[in-house]
Amino acid sequence: MTQIVSPPLSPVEGYKTVSRGLRGTISAELADDTTITVGEASHSLLKFHGTYEQYDRDTATQLKQAGLEKEWNFMVRARIPAGRVTPSQYLALDDLAGRYGNGTMRITTRQTFQFHAIAKRNLRETIAEIDRMLLTTMASCGDVVRNVVTTAAPIQDAVHDTLRNTAEYLSSVLLPRSNAHHQIFVLGEDNGEEAEVEPMYGPTYLPRKFKIGLIHPDDNTIDVLSNDLGLIAEVTDGRVTGWVACVGGGQGMTHNKPMTYPRVASALCRVDHADLLRLVEAIVKTQRDHGDRTNRKRARLKYVVDDHGLEWVKARVEEHYGAPLDAPGPMPKLTVPDHLGWHEQGDGKWWLGLPLPAGRIADVGASRLRTGLREAVIQFGVAPVMTTLQDILLTNVEPDQRDGLEALLKAHGALFRDDLTPIARWSMACVALPTCGLALSEAERSREPIVAGIEGLLRQHGLEQERISVRITGCPNGCARPYDGDLGIVGRAPGAYAIFVGGDFEGTRLNFLLFERIKEAEITSKLAPIVTAWAVGRTQGEGFGDFCHRMGREKLLALTAPEMLAAE
Ligand code: HEM
Ligand code: SF4
């Protein structure tokens, strides 16, 4: 008789199983000041608490050659649902970046802040300090439901109130119940307790990260369909009455591993607003039970959906939900408004959307952006909101404060919406080198030259005012959502990138691989014939991604690299 041997669970599953509710030996390892690193199990478990152990990759080779240890340190990420902080929370976060971090804060593509280069000896205090601000870092990384995102627009009406409140509500009720975080980081003690019961997650949490985003159809600035669970509000008479639930979105893939791929979420069902939490829990439990725990590269909900089919997934969700679910109905048209510049909030106040280069808040050279934003918060009491495009909205500005706020920010070298072309405004880059351990190439640090090169091409055709989204990442994991944009530039090796084109600006269609691997210096020249063809052959108002999609890979390659086509 043939015996079927199941593949072994991934090592992280083992760490979770014996972790006593995510405690493991973190507390003892953080208290050990004879080492600046932690062991493998703690490295994995610490992610659940919102921190990644990393090292400075710029200095690593040199240190190794000198026989010295790498500069190990930690990235710390807050959990800020809907991207909202109060003025005093912002000031406290800014203070923390100077006290324990590298003097910079980074707005992430999921509406929160990251700090880099926190030394192990300061890790506990940094996280405790964030807790004292009534924020947390718990579950901002790890195999759990992450920070829930929604539109940043601080518009004061019933629909936006519901989006904000629902994001905050889901984010808080879906937190793990384990008290480990509070004990280890706030109280500074792990008394050897056993794990608490986790009614939704169970003892081994989820197979992989789980991302939720919510929108109403007129504002898909968050790329809702890139989430494991994207929720689209149904609006009746100016109120949210129900939700269309889309499942199985996700960005990450691995080069040369076709079994891994990005995916746009598919509409599963609809529910009344009152039933939303029940549905969300049912979907999370379905992924908990059926996500692949043997292979972390194929553990996301998107593979469950593709391996078993949407109807099968719906049936499993209904088992947890306890009732049949309504069909989703036709997908509404999604649009993407621009939140930068001045806008009225609807309550007599205004917000100013400021573009930030790759989300980095720093004082560098003549640009004193960090100081400028801090002063803006102190002097004008503005409440910052982070966007999923790595920008910041300064909200609650009284009409008579507008000139003063602008003057203050200008004096600190801040760039405004109209100082940048749309392509620069809508570009994003992940952190990559020097902090991300997974980076194969630069991203944040090569964003400016790459975007400037493409901007130059657009200028040649008078197209520099066209909206094009360019997303650059240092590896295929896709933290800056490169497979959703008009143009995705994905690191393969130092100075070399894969190029994806043909996505749509509204975030409803994935782009496709055009070049497997080209040098950074070739990006502009290889794109030039395509931009020319777009300039000449576009239909009325046709976007760059839409044009590339209409042409398809073969025609585009024939234009720019016929030798590659011949070799295939
Ligand atoms: C699939 C595998 C993935 C892995 C292993 C991974 C791992 C990482 C790591 C190590 C960092 C820290 C980099 C640093 O700050 O130095 C990071 C940053 C980040 N990742 Fe991922 N990531 C993955 C996919 C994604 C995806 C698909 C998204 C969202 C679309 C995402 C969202 C983020 C965000 C928001 C940050 C913060 C920095 C930024 O805004 O660029 N990640 N990720
Ligand atoms: S995309 Fe890759 S290189 Fe960029 S932050 Fe994510 S894991 Fe790191």
Side-chain angles (χ1 to χ4, degrees), residues 348-363:
K349 296 182 185 169
W350 291 73
W351 89 78
L352 173 64
L354 267 193
L356 298 183
R360 186 68 71 175
I361 297 178
D363 284 343

Side-chain angles (χ1 to χ4, degrees), residues 251 253-255 430 440-443 450 471-484 487-493 495-500 511 513 515-518 523:
Q251 292 277 295
M253 57 167 263
T254 306
H255 291 306
C430 76
L440 304 170
S441 72
E442 296 285 349
I450 290 176
R471 278 113 184 248
I472 307 167
T473 58
C475 88
N477 284 335
C479 301
R481 304 193 295 279
Y483 314 110
D484 270 347
L487 181 56
I489 300 179
V490 176
R492 288 218 57 150
Y497 296 85
I499 306 291
F500 294 76
N511 47 29
L513 179 67
F515 300 120
E516 284 268 7
R517 183 186 177 121
I518 58 172
I523 294 176

Side-chain angles (χ1 to χ4, degrees), residues 332-344:
K333 185 171 160 34
L334 307 183
T335 53
V336 175
D338 186 353
H339 295 320
L340 299 184
W342 284 109
H343 300 261
E344 275 190 271

Side-chain angles (χ1 to χ4, degrees), residues 403-414:
D403 291 347
L405 176 62
E406 254 195 62
L408 180 141
L409 291 165
K410 266 202 185 112
H412 287 85

Side-chain angles (χ1 to χ4, degrees), residues 163-369:
L163 288 171
R164 282 188 291 272
N165 294 340
T166 308
E168 281 165 11
Y169 174 67
L170 289 179
S171 222
S172 90
V173 295
L174 299 172
L175 274 170
R177 298 288 161 85
S178 167
N179 203 23
H181 189 76
H182 189 73
Q183 288 168 345
I184 297 171
F185 292 99
V186 182
L187 304 177
E189 57 189 35
D190 169 5
N191 296 330
E193 289 89 329
E194 287 309 308
E196 295 81 357
V197 173
E198 295 278 6
M200 183 184 72
Y201 289 116
T204 48
Y205 298 84
L206 299 181
R208 201 73 173 75
K209 65 177 98 171
F210 192 98
K211 296 182 176 174
I212 301 180
L214 23 114
I215 62 160
H216 67 99
D218 294 343
D219 185 346
N220 188 25
T221 40
I222 71 164
D223 288 331
V224 72
L225 301 177
S226 67
N227 288 271
D228 294 87
L229 173 56
L231 296 165
I232 304 177
E234 276 176 6
V235 178
T236 318
D237 297 332
R239 300 201 164 268
V240 176
T241 46
W243 297 87
V244 173
C246 304
V247 294
Q251 292 277 295
M253 57 167 263
T254 306
H255 291 306
N256 299 332
K257 279 210 175 11
M259 37 110 67
T260 68
Y261 46 81
R263 191 177 186 286
V264 168
S266 321
L268 181 82
C269 62
R270 77 155 299 282
V271 282
D272 289 340
H273 181 55
D275 293 324
L276 182 65
L277 179 60
R278 188 171 151 210
L279 174 70
V280 170
E281 285 187 341
I283 295 172
V284 172
K285 284 178 184 168
T286 301
Q287 160 66 356
R288 175 198 69 190
D289 297 346
H290 300 287
D292 187 345
R293 290 182 187 259
T294 66
N295 179 0
R296 291 183 65 78
K297 287 197 182 303
R298 269 196 117 255
R300 297 282 294 274
L301 179 61
K302 61 185 173 180
Y303 301 115
V304 177
V305 174
D306 280 348
D307 291 350
H308 297 278
L310 204 53
E311 280 312 307
W312 184 93
V313 171
K314 192 171 176 203
R316 301 291 81 72
V317 173
E318 283 171 340
E319 283 164 16
H320 286 298
Y321 185 77
L325 287 160
D326 292 342
M331 188 68 157
K333 185 171 160 34
L334 307 183
T335 53
V336 175
D338 186 353
H339 295 320
L340 299 184
W342 284 109
H343 300 261
E344 275 190 271
Q345 294 180 180
D347 58 355
K349 296 182 185 169
W350 291 73
W351 89 78
L352 173 64
L354 267 193
L356 298 183
R360 186 68 71 175
I361 297 178
D363 284 343
V364 190
S367 166
R368 317 306 291 167
L369 195 55

Side-chain angles (χ1 to χ4, degrees), residues 535-553:
V536 175
R538 67 194 297 222
T539 56
Q540 177 79 28
E542 190 175 33
F544 181 70
D546 295 333
F547 171 77
C548 292
H549 175 71
R550 176 163 65 82
M551 295 289 280
R553 182 166 187 265

